[in-house]
Amino acid sequence: MLISDLEQIVIKLVEDGVFGNVSYLGLETDETAKGAQFSSDLSFVTLIVDDNGKKEIPLVMKLPYANPKVRKDRNLDAQFQNEVVMYKEILPTLGGRNFYPQMFYGVATNGAEPDKDILILENLKYKNFFLPKTRIFLDIDHIRVAIKKIAEFHSFSFILKHENKERFLQLTKELGNTPLPPEIEHEYDVINAACIERGIKPLLKNSLSVDLLTNCLSLLKCPNKTRELIAFPEEPFGVICHGDYCNNNILYKFDENDKPIDCVFIDFQFSKYGSVAIDVFFFLCLNTDAEVRGKYWDEILKLYWDTLRKCVPNHISVPSLEKFLEHFAGRVIYGYTIASFFLPIMMEDEPYDGNELEVKPLTIEEKLEKALSTGGEEAERKLIDIVLHLLDKDYVRPYIELCKNNKIEC
């Protein structure tokens, strides 16, 4: 959408009082701001109003992709709907205003009238929240801040479940499913299965834990069954998850020594009612390297649980640390399957641009070849490191047992 079209929308919203009792003076493009265009088109602007004096309001304006085929293939309309529902209804009900940017306006029609869909948020850059300087792997300071924040966010679900379980369950039903169309999902599963092998096959060639990894690999290549099993919101571990909790979707605030002291979340397209483990394993598998995992893994998991326990009033029950670790152990391997697809992409020199989806489509063979070469040998090494960590922590066996207990066979 052109800036002139956005301006007409903003002028009408100012007239309607969306930004308070102010009058419109102008709208300027913010050339200093940028963001990843994964699932929507972003525009960064500064609204200038008269509020008994000139006032600037930095904004992020999100619109659905203009290309209807891309929206259909990736089910982006449902994702956009999910995010607006999160901002308008679920996040305010859960509480904790310091977790996300303020929403000024949001409309989502779930694809019925995409030209009307829009989400207008504050640009937190002007409150000194920024993406971390590293694109993928975070140091322990960033990780501690992020893991405490997601634990605090999960605590609101435990509190609401206790105080008004009916209302909590109503909220979970407002989050729609965001599956891909069957033909696209099948293609993704084929590619993801090949990606999963990148970190496992080299270990099998070296005769490392052959029986265990062979069994594990056969189960991981049944994505529909294992995905349902791991994402299922088994109580008492069910919360409203961010669903895409990774480096791209976390903005940090830093102190005078450039040390992270706080963070907020953005991009709630994949939010869902699911296990607490989802946000934790997604973040840790995708954004920690072998050194950090080796030194701090147990500390990080305990920090998550300690923060959760601290944020939930004592009269409300939460699972014990032992029960949480047991639950996590059977599911963390799914974090590897996510990392096997996305980590090599993030390791490329050129950042991913969602607009690439609009170029001439590749065949499935071309997509497979591209997926298996993305990130090169370094990406494969990083994936192997994750699998070695899973073996070292004895996470493969609990995953196989979980599948067995739920009668999942491939």
Side-chain angles (χ1 to χ4, degrees), residues 6-23:
L6 291 176
E7 185 174 27
Q8 294 307 308
I9 294 172
V10 172
I11 290 173
K12 179 65 166 59
L13 294 177
V14 171
E15 292 174 350
D16 292 343
V18 168
F19 300 97
N21 186 22
V22 299
S23 57

Side-chain angles (χ1 to χ4, degrees), residues 185-198 217 220-221 223 226-227 334-342 344 364 367-368 371-372 383:
E185 183 173 43
H186 173 71
E187 183 178 280
Y188 169 78
D189 287 341
V190 170
I191 295 171
N192 196 202
C195 292
I196 289 169
E197 292 181 341
R198 287 185 77 179
L217 186 59
L220 289 176
K221 292 171 76 172
T226 55
R227 195 156 45 222
Y334 192 52
Y336 164 72
T337 71
I338 297 171
S340 71
F341 184 85
F342 287 106
I364 182 63
K367 290 179 180 179
L368 273 170
L372 293 177
L383 296 180

Side-chain angles (χ1 to χ4, degrees), residues 213-229:
L213 286 179
T214 300
N215 195 353
C216 173
L217 186 59
S218 69
L219 291 166
L220 289 176
K221 292 171 76 172
C222 296
N224 290 331
K225 295 179 181 179
T226 55
R227 195 156 45 222
E228 281 184 24
L229 173 63

Side-chain angles (χ1 to χ4, degrees), residues 1 9 63-64 66 71 107 109 111-118:
M1 185 178 291
I9 294 172
L63 300 165
R71 294 204 315 274
V107 172
T109 63
E113 298 180 86
D115 291 343
K116 293 184 178 180
D117 291 356
I118 190 170

Side-chain angles (χ1 to χ4, degrees), residues 18-19 57-59 102-106 120-123:
V18 168
F19 300 97
I57 306 176
L59 302 174
Q102 177 184 354
M103 185 195 77
F104 291 103
Y105 184 73
I120 303 178
L121 307 167
E122 65 175 328
N123 186 346

